[in-house]
Amino acid sequence: MEKIIVIGDKQTALGFGVAGVKDSFEAKNNDAEELTAQVLAREDAGILVVTTEVMDSLSLKTRKTLQESSKPVVIVIPSTRESVGKGDDIAAMVKKAIGIELK
């Protein structure tokens, strides 16, 4: 069974953990690159949710790999430190990322 995996700031990781995502990791001390490489190597990774801060901290090569990845599907969400504009919601981000509308 494919899993949802989250890499983000502490609040994001905790929030997804409370929501039931078991593989939710806090990126700290510049370990986002290593965490991302571990996720990409996993066979059970179906969806990878990363915050914009994590995405921005990754090397250009890793960002390109994520942007071109079809498995796992990568969804970039705002971190808890960013403001989210009106109309920006998870359903819209999922639709933009994978073309599926959530109801």
Side-chain angles (χ1 to χ4, degrees):
M1 186 165 130
E2 294 184 343
K3 296 183 177 188
I4 298 172
I5 302 169
V6 177
I7 303 174
D9 56 77
K10 184 177 183 176
Q11 290 81 11
T12 300
L14 287 172
F16 275 90
V18 167
V21 177
K22 294 186 183 346
D23 294 313
S24 188
F25 305 100
E26 177 187 357
K28 52 186 174 182
N29 300 327
N30 299 320
D31 64 352
E33 193 82 34
E34 182 180 337
L35 284 169
T36 304
Q38 291 171 5
V39 170
L40 290 172
R42 290 177 59 165
E43 292 290 323
D44 64 347
I47 298 175
L48 172 60
V49 178
V50 297
T51 61
T52 52
E53 284 182 351
V54 168
M55 186 65 108
D56 292 344
S57 74
L58 299 173
S59 68
L60 183 58
K61 180 180 177 183
T62 302
R63 278 185 283 171
K64 185 173 174 133
T65 300
L66 291 177
Q67 290 167 345
E68 295 174 353
S69 175
S70 60
K71 185 174 185 266
V73 173
V74 179
I75 300 173
V76 181
I77 63 170
S79 72
T80 57
R81 294 183 194 101
E82 296 176 75
S83 64
V84 178
K86 184 177 180 181
D88 289 345
D89 61 8
I90 296 295
M93 287 184 256
V94 169
K95 184 175 181 181
K96 181 180 176 185
I98 62 175
I100 296 174
E101 187 171 350
L102 300 177
K103 300 263 177 180

